[in-house]
Amino acid sequence: MATAKKPAAKKAAPAKKAPAKKVAAKKVAAKKAPAKKAAAKKPAAKKAPAKKAAPAKKVAAKKPAAKKAAKPKAPAKKRVPNAAFMKPLTLSSALAAVVGAASMPRTEIVSKLWVYIKKNKLQDAVNKRMINADAKLREVFGKAQVSMFEMAGLIGKHVK
């Protein structure tokens, strides 16, 4: 606690104006201080070669990894689609009129619907997420305008 009181006393002392000679001496000391710091940084530069040695270890660590890559790998298996997605579904007459088939997988139904929408320019000009239904799509969707996210749910009602 005694040390906490001493700095308060020191702060009160500089409040007096110092003579011009003391101010000049402080400026000279301030200019010399960076030179001392620069001298102190020179030994740090000597430590730099030690840092250069560290990357050499990393290179050595990468060489065994390259040897591991040289081992023959098993051939990559082709990706097999999930059978549930490829299962043909029976379509309602309204959906079959738009898509053009009596049965097909759900993935193809959605892609053919998008082909129909783009072909007939049924996407809303302002908001591309909205689809303006024509007479055929109105039977499927039950609305005049549907968002693209609702579309998949509405298709589910016409698929068995």
Side-chain angles (χ1 to χ4, degrees), residues 76-86:
K77 294 181 182 178
K78 288 187 177 180
R79 187 172 176 208
V80 180
N82 189 346
F85 288 119
M86 302 312 290

Side-chain angles (χ1 to χ4, degrees), residues 132-147:
N132 300 322
D134 62 352
K136 287 183 179 180
L137 283 179
R138 200 169 283 147
E139 291 179 29
V140 176
F141 297 150
K143 303 180 192 181
Q145 193 175 42
V146 176
S147 77

Side-chain angles (χ1 to χ4, degrees), residues 101-157:
S103 67
M104 64 176 55
R106 185 179 296 271
T107 54
E108 284 185 40
I109 295 168
V110 173
S111 65
K112 297 236 180 183
L113 261 174
W114 274 108
V115 168
Y116 180 82
I117 291 166
K118 299 271 184 172
K119 178 183 165 190
N120 294 317
K121 298 179 182 175
L122 297 175
Q123 258 184 308
D124 192 45
V126 177
N127 187 358
K128 297 278 186 177
R129 289 181 284 184
M130 299 304 286
I131 299 162
N132 300 322
D134 62 352
K136 287 183 179 180
L137 283 179
R138 200 169 283 147
E139 291 179 29
V140 176
F141 297 150
K143 303 180 192 181
Q145 193 175 42
V146 176
S147 77
M148 65 169 60
F149 305 110
E150 288 179 81
M151 188 174 71
L154 295 171
I155 293 168
K157 295 176 184 176

Side-chain angles (χ1 to χ4, degrees), residues 21-90:
K21 290 181 182 179
K22 287 186 179 180
V23 172
K26 285 183 182 180
K27 287 182 181 178
V28 172
K31 288 181 182 177
K32 289 182 181 178
K36 290 179 183 177
K37 288 182 182 178
K41 288 183 181 179
K42 286 182 183 177
K46 290 180 182 178
K47 292 182 182 178
K51 289 183 181 178
K52 288 180 182 177
K57 290 179 183 178
K58 289 181 182 177
V59 172
K62 289 181 181 178
K63 287 181 182 177
K67 290 180 182 177
K68 289 180 183 178
K71 291 182 183 179
K73 293 182 179 179
K77 294 181 182 178
K78 288 187 177 180
R79 187 172 176 208
V80 180
N82 189 346
F85 288 119
M86 302 312 290
K87 179 183 172 186
L89 303 170
T90 307

